[in-house]
Amino acid sequence: MTENGGSKNHQQSFEISVDMIPQGGSKCYDDDGRLKRTGTVWTASAHIITAVIGSGVLSLAWAIAQLGWVAGPSVMVLFSFVTYYASTLLSACYRSGDQVSGKRNYTYTDAVRSYLGGVKVKFCGLVQYANLFGVGIGYTIAASISMMAIKRSNCFHSSGGKNPCHMNSNVYMISFGIAEIIFSQIPDFHELWWLSIVAAVMSFTYSTIGLGLGIGKVIENRRVRGSLTGISIGTVTQTQKVWRSFQALGNIAFAYSYSMILIEIQDTIKAPPSESKTMKKATFISVVVTTLFYMLCGCFGYAAFGDASPGNLLTGFGFYNPFWLLDIANAAIVIHLVGAYQVYCQPLFSFVEKVAAERYPNSDFVNKDILVPIPGFKPFRLNFFRLVWRTIFVIITTIISMLLPFFNDIVGLIGAIGFWPLTVYFPVEMYIVQKKIPKWSLKWICLQMLSVACLIITIAAAAGSVAGVIVDLQTYKPFHNSY
C-alpha cells in the first residue's frame, strides 16, 4: 500500500490514513484516500450531455438529407443503441475486479492498462489525447463562427441589408481563447460540475430554437420535404453522393461519441451505490435525451429544407430573420462551447500534470498549490505549473485554429479514426477480459461482429473526411479566414 522509494515517515502516514477510513467511515475521504466524491446521476448526465450535444446537432439535418427518411433516422437510432451498450461495458471497467471494492481506474488509459496492458495502452493514450486536442481546436473554430454570426446579423440588420458585413474570424478566436485561459484554471473535473450544467442548459436552448424554427418552416411550407433515399443523383454526382453519405454516417456516429471522457466523468461519482450503476443510469438518461433532440432537430430540419438542408441548421432560416432569435441561439452555442471545451480538455490537462508530478515530485513549481482567498467562496487553489501549461495549450489550439480555419474536417478525420477504438474496440476487449468470455462463444462472436461493423463505418467516415479536406485545400490561404 506504500509507494516504492518513499521515505519511512511518508509510508507510516499513508498506512495510518488508509486504516482510519474503513474503521471510522471517514466523511471526508473515499476508499482510495482521495477527497470524497460528490457527483450524482444528474451531474454525470450534465457532463455527458455537455460533451455529446455539441454544435454538431445543427448539422444533423444535412446528414439526414444525404441518407433520406429511411436510412437517416435508422442510423441515428442504431448509433444511440451502440453508444449506450458500449458505454455500459466501459463503465463496468472503472474498477478492476469487484465493482464495489476493486481498484479504481481514474482515466480511460488506466482502465486499458489494468485489463489489456502492453502496447494497447500507448495506442489508447495516443488516440484519446489526439482526439481531445483536435476537439479543442474544432470548438475554437465553431465558437468563432457563432460569434461572427451574431455580429453579421446585427450589422446586416442595421444597414438594411446593404452592407455584406464581411469580417475576419481571428479576433473572435482570440476572444474565445482568452475565455478558455481563464476557465482552464478550474483545477479538475470535480469542480467543473456547475459549468457543465450551464453548458447543458445552453445546448438545450439552441437546439430548441433550431427545432422551433424547423417546425415553423414546415408549417409555412405546408408540406414535408425530403425523400426516402435522400439527395438525388443529378443534384449531386454519383461520387459526391457516396462521399456525402460516408460523411453523414460519420456525423451521426461521432455526434454520440463521448467514451474518451467516460471514465473521467465516472471518477466524479459518489458511492454507494456503485459507480457503475450510477453511470449506467446517467448514460441511459443522456442517450435518451440526446437521441430525442437529435431526431427532432434533424428530422424537422430535413422536413423544412429537404435536399437543400444546410450544414448548419440555424443558417437556413434566411440567416438574419428573425435575427434576435438567431442571436440568442448563437450566443447559447458560444456559452455551451466554452463549457464543452473544458469537459473535453480536462482529461488531457490531468494527464500532463500527473506525468509532470511523477517526474518532478520535489518541485514546488509543479506540485505546490497556493490558496487564494475569494470572499464568499472557498479559497482558489493556484498552481503555477497548471497556470503556465494550460495557458500555453489554449494559445496553441487558438493559433492552429487561426492557421487552419477548415480544421473541422481534420478533426472529423481524427474523430473517425478514434471512434472505433475508443467507443467500441477497447470497451469490448476489456469487457471480454473482465467477464472471462470464452473465445468463439456466441457472446464473443457477437461482440466481435459489433466491433468489426463499427470499424468498417469508421473507415468509410474517415474516407469521407479526407475527401472534404482535399476540397478545402484547393482554396486554402493561411490566416485569411474571412467570412
Side-chain angles (χ1 to χ4, degrees), residues 173-305:
M173 292 184 184
I174 293 171
S175 300
F176 183 80
I178 292 171
E180 292 304 340
I181 288 174
I182 296 170
F183 282 105
S184 67
Q185 297 312 308
I186 297 174
D188 51 42
F189 241 128
H190 303 272
E191 299 179 37
L192 201 64
W193 61 270
W194 63 271
L195 186 59
S196 282
I197 291 174
V198 171
V201 171
M202 291 299 104
S203 68
F204 286 127
T205 299
Y206 66 73
S207 297
T208 302
I209 290 173
L211 171 61
L213 291 172
I215 294 173
K217 189 73 172 178
V218 172
I219 295 173
E220 179 186 325
N221 295 337
R222 296 185 178 180
R223 68 187 181 93
V224 173
R225 294 182 174 176
S227 63
L228 295 179
T229 57
I231 192 167
S232 57
I233 305 297
T235 306
V236 294
T237 66
Q238 191 166 1
T239 303
Q240 286 176 324
K241 173 73 173 177
V242 172
W243 290 129
R244 286 187 172 202
S245 297
F246 286 166
Q247 284 182 306
L249 285 175
N251 282 357
I252 295 172
F254 309 137
Y256 283 101
S257 180
Y258 68 96
S259 297
M260 66 187 80
I261 56 174
L262 184 146
I263 296 291
E264 285 81 355
I265 293 174
Q266 193 167 346
D267 191 45
T268 68
I269 295 173
K270 65 182 179 182
S274 69
E275 298 86 358
S276 62
K277 286 184 179 179
T278 303
M279 194 64 186
K280 286 176 183 177
K281 289 180 181 178
T283 296
F284 179 78
I285 292 170
S286 304
V287 170
V288 168
V289 169
T290 54
T291 301
L292 177 63
F293 263 75
Y294 284 177
M295 291 288 280
L296 289 173
C297 291
C299 291
F300 272 106
Y302 183 42
F305 296 104

Side-chain angles (χ1 to χ4, degrees), residues 6 15 56 119 157 170 205 247 335 353 377 397 415 453 457:
E15 290 169 356
V119 71
H157 181 75
N170 289 341
T205 299
Q247 284 182 306
I335 296 171
E353 287 153 21
F377 298 91
T397 58
I457 291 172

Side-chain angles (χ1 to χ4, degrees), residues 299-318:
C299 291
F300 272 106
Y302 183 42
F305 296 104
D307 290 351
S309 295
N312 181 334
L313 182 60
L314 293 179
T315 66
F317 302 100

